[in-house]
C-alpha cells in the first residue's frame, strides 16, 4: 500500500546516506491463505534492520536470511515459504527479493506522485519457484514513465508478472481539537492514513498537540481549505459545538469526500441536517449519502479510545465496501 511505500522510500533514503545496502521484499504470489495478500512489501537493510512486514511476523526471519545472498551477489531471487506445516495460514508465499537502489529521479518522482495524490502502478517480474535471475525485479510506473528499482535489472516481458495498481494514501480530516480528536488522530495514523486536523485560531493548537497528524489547518469555517478533499478522504466533525459543526458542514457542501462522520445522537444529526438544508437547499443526495451520524460502528465503545476504534472501523467498511460481521460467521475465505 502507498503508506507502506512512503516508509520504505524514507528508510531507503536514510540508509543510502549511511552507505547501507537495501533489499526490497515483495509478496508476488500466493497459493492458499496467508496473513497478507500479494503486493505487501518490506525493506531489509544490510545491518539487519527492517521496515514493514510481509506477514504477521512469522515469515520475516526467513526473508531476512534469504536476503543475504542478494546483498552478496546483487542478483534478484524468488523464495518460497510453505506455511502449511509451520503456520496456521495454510498457504505458500512467493517472495521476490531484489536490490533496492532507486536513483534520485525515482525518489523525487515518487514524492511528487504522493503529494499530487496521483495513482501509480508496480509490475514485478518473477517465476513461481526458488530461483535467481537478473530479469526478476519490479518496475514502477509514474506519470506513464517506467522506473526500475535497481540498476542491473534486465527486463524480460516473457516472464510472469504481478501488477499492482495503487491509489493515493487515504486521508482523514478531523475537525476539532478536543481530547477525542487527539485519540482519533493517533488511531488513524497507526492505520496508515494521512491525518489533517482542522482547528479555529482561538483554540491556539499546533501540530505537536496531535501526535500522528501530518498537517494542521488553522482556519475559521468560512476559510476551510477543501480543494484537496477527494474520494480518498474522510471527514469527521467533532468540535463538540452544534453551531461550529453546522458552519463546517456548510463549508464542506461542495466537497466530495467518501465519508463524513458526525458525533452525537440521531436527534442532533437530524436537527443539524435539517438546518443545513435550510441554508443550502440545492444540496444533492450524493452529499447527504456520505454523512454518517452517529459516527462509528456499534461495538459497545465507551472511552475516547474505543470510540476512535469504532469510527476507524466504520470508515474502513465504507472504503472497502464491506458489511461488518464477525469473522467466525463469515462463510468462505476471509479475503475475497
Amino acid at each position: 500500500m502507498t503508506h507502506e511505500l512512503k516508509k520504505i522510500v524514507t528508510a531507503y533514503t536514510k540508509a543510502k546516506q549511511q552507505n547501507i545496502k537495501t533489499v526490497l521484499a515483495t509478496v508476488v504470489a500466493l497459493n492458499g491463505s496467508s496473513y497478507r495478500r500479494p503486493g505487501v512489501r518490506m525493506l531489509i537493510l544490510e545491518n539487519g534492520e527492517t521496515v514493514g512486514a510481509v506477514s504477521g511476523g512469522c515469515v520475516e526471519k526467513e526473508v531476512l536470511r534469504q536476503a543475504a545472498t542478494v546483498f552478496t551477489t546483487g542478483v534478484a531471487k524468488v523464495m518460497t515459504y510453505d506455511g502449511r506445516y509451520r503456520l496456521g495460514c495454510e498457504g505458500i508465499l512467493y517472495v521476490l527479493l531484489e536490490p533496492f537502489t532507486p536513483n534520485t529521479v525515482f525518489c523525487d518522482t515518487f514524492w511528487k506522485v504522493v503529494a499530487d495524490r496521483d495513482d501509480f502502478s508496480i509490475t514485478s517480474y518473477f517465476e513461481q519457484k526458488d530461483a535467481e535471475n537478473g530479469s526478476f525485479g519490479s518496475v514502477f510506473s509514474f506519470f506513464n514513465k517506467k522506473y526500475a528499482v535497481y540498476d542491473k535489472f534486465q527486463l524480460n516481458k516473457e516472464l510472469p508478472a504481478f501488477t499492482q495498481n495503487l491509489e493515493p494514501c487515504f486521508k482523514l480530516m478531523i475537525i476539532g481539537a478536543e481530547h477525542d480528536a487527539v485519540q482519533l488522530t493517533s488511531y488513524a495514523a497507526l492505520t496508515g492514513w494521512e491525518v489533517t486536523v482542522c482547528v479555529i485560531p482561538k483554540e491556539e493548537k499546533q501540530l505537536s498537540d496531535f501526535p500522528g497528524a501530518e498537517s494542521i489547518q488553522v482556519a475559521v469555517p468560512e476559510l476551510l481549505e477543501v480543494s484537496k478533499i477527494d474520494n480518498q478522504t474522510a471527514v469527521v466533525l467533532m468540535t463538540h459545538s452544534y453551531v461550529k459543526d453546522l458552519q463546517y458542514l456548510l463549508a464542506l457542501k461542495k466537497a466530495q469526500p467518501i465519508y463524513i462522520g458526525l458525533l452525537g445522537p440521531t436527534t442532533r444529526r437530524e436537527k443539524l441536517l435539517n438546518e443545513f438544508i435550510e441554508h443550502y437547499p440545492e444540496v444533492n443526495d450524493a452529499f447527504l449519502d456520505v454523512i454518517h451520524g452517529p459516527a462509528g460502528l456499534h461495538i459497545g465503545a465507551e472511552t475516547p479510545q474505543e470510540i476512535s476504534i469504532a469510527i476507524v472501523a466504520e470508515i474502513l467498511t465504507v472504503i472497502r465496501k464491506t458489511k461488518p460481521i464477525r469473522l467466525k460467521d463469515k462463510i468462505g475465505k476471509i479475503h475475497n
Side-chain angles (χ1 to χ4, degrees), residues 176-183 199 203 205 210 238-240 244:
E178 302 299 337
H179 176 64
D180 53 355
V182 177
Q183 298 303 317
V199 300
E203 287 171 316
K205 297 291 184 178
F210 303 92
M238 48 198 320
T239 67
H240 296 278
K244 289 179 185 175

Side-chain angles (χ1 to χ4, degrees), residues 85-151:
Y85 306 109
R86 291 180 279 186
L87 310 173
C89 293
E90 300 183 352
I92 303 174
L93 288 172
Y94 298 88
V95 183
L96 170 64
L97 299 167
E98 58 188 312
F100 193 64
T101 59
N103 58 28
T104 301
V105 175
F106 174 103
C107 295
D108 289 346
T109 307
F110 171 79
W111 290 117
K112 178 172 174 51
V113 168
V114 169
D116 291 351
R117 299 185 62 75
D118 284 318
D119 296 347
F120 63 100
S121 66
I122 307 170
T123 300
S124 298
Y125 298 89
F126 68 101
E127 289 182 293
Q128 210 159 304
K129 63 180 182 181
D130 289 301
E132 292 185 349
N133 192 323
S135 293
F136 291 168
S138 301
V139 177
F140 284 60
S141 180
F142 302 135
F143 304 122
N144 295 318
K145 292 185 178 181
K146 310 293 184 183
Y147 301 84
V149 301
Y150 68 98
D151 297 334

Side-chain angles (χ1 to χ4, degrees), residues 173 217 221 223-230 248 251-256:
M173 176 181 283
Q217 188 179 154
L223 299 178
L224 184 69
E225 174 56 57
V226 299
S227 63
K228 292 187 178 180
I229 295 177
D230 54 24
Y248 277 112
L252 293 165
K253 63 181 183 289
K254 293 185 179 180
Q256 296 180 316

Side-chain angles (χ1 to χ4, degrees), residues 174-184 198-200 202-203 205 210 236-248 261-265 268 272 295 302-305 307-308 311:
I174 298 172
I175 300 178
E178 302 299 337
H179 176 64
D180 53 355
V182 177
Q183 298 303 317
L184 182 56
C198 303
V199 300
I200 58 175
K202 71 177 183 180
E203 287 171 316
K205 297 291 184 178
F210 303 92
V236 178
L237 287 169
M238 48 198 320
T239 67
H240 296 278
S241 163
Y242 177 86
V243 173
K244 289 179 185 175
D245 278 359
L246 177 59
Q247 291 172 336
Y248 277 112
L262 306 175
L263 296 190
R268 183 181 189 273
L272 189 67
E302 296 284 348
T303 67
Q305 293 84 357
I307 292 169
S308 296
I311 293 173

Side-chain angles (χ1 to χ4, degrees), residues 20-21 42-51 60 64 71:
I20 300 174
K21 293 181 181 179
M42 66 181 285
L43 188 71
I44 304 154
L45 280 64
E46 196 171 23
N47 62 8
E49 295 180 9
T50 60
V51 176
E60 281 69 20
L64 191 61
F71 282 118

Side-chain angles (χ1 to χ4, degrees), residues 5 23 31 46 78 80 102 105 141 154 164 188 206 236 264:
L5 280 169
V23 165
N31 289 335
E46 196 171 23
V78 170
T80 61
V105 175
S141 180
Q154 301 168 359
Q164 182 182 24
Q206 53 191 359
V236 178

